[in-house]
Amino acid sequence: MPWSKKKVLRYIDIMNKCSRIYIAGHCGLVGSSIERKLLSKGFSNIIIRTRSQLDLANQEAVNKFFSEETLDIVIIAAAMVKSISSGTLTKFFVL
């Protein structure tokens, strides 16, 4: 069941502000909104990687990233979206 905005905001309020938080998809609509909200709430230990730094479709790269980073919270807001007008299906990558 998808989380409501109210539930997400309530969860953010009880999170530890010192937590190391990785946001996958921070450049997208949802991910950038989450990043802005966390920064506005005083979270400063946010870990982000661009697609060129970490290709989430590359399992080896993802495994290496998670073995090297010590993370408390992982937020998956990443997706690969094809245009609706292109007639192709939308593809989503979920870790």
Side-chain angles (χ1 to χ4, degrees):
M1 171 184 277
W3 282 23
S4 67
K5 182 177 179 181
K6 185 176 181 180
K7 186 173 183 178
V8 170
L9 293 175
R10 196 170 353 143
Y11 188 73
I12 288 173
D13 287 337
I14 63 170
M15 290 169 40
N16 183 341
K17 293 199 177 2
C18 296
S19 296
R20 288 179 50 84
I21 304 168
Y22 170 61
I23 304 173
H26 74 281
C27 290
L29 180 69
V30 174
S32 63
S33 176
I34 292 169
E35 182 182 16
R36 283 191 308 272
K37 179 57 80 175
L38 290 173
L39 289 170
S40 75
K41 293 280 189 173
F43 291 86
S44 59
N45 211 354
I46 298 172
I47 312 301
I48 54 174
R49 297 290 184 272
T50 63
R51 184 178 295 149
S52 62
Q53 293 172 317
L54 176 62
D55 180 1
L56 296 176
N58 180 337
Q59 189 65 54
E60 283 183 42
V62 172
N63 288 342
K64 183 176 184 237
F65 171 75
F66 281 105
S67 69
E68 293 174 352
E69 291 288 342
T70 304
L71 303 168
D72 300 308
I73 299 169
V74 176
I75 299 172
I76 308 295
M80 181 179 283
V81 181
K82 300 281 184 174
S83 170
I84 293 172
S85 62
S86 70
T88 58
L89 295 175
T90 302
K91 296 179 182 180
F92 294 94
F93 293 104
V94 179
L95 299 177

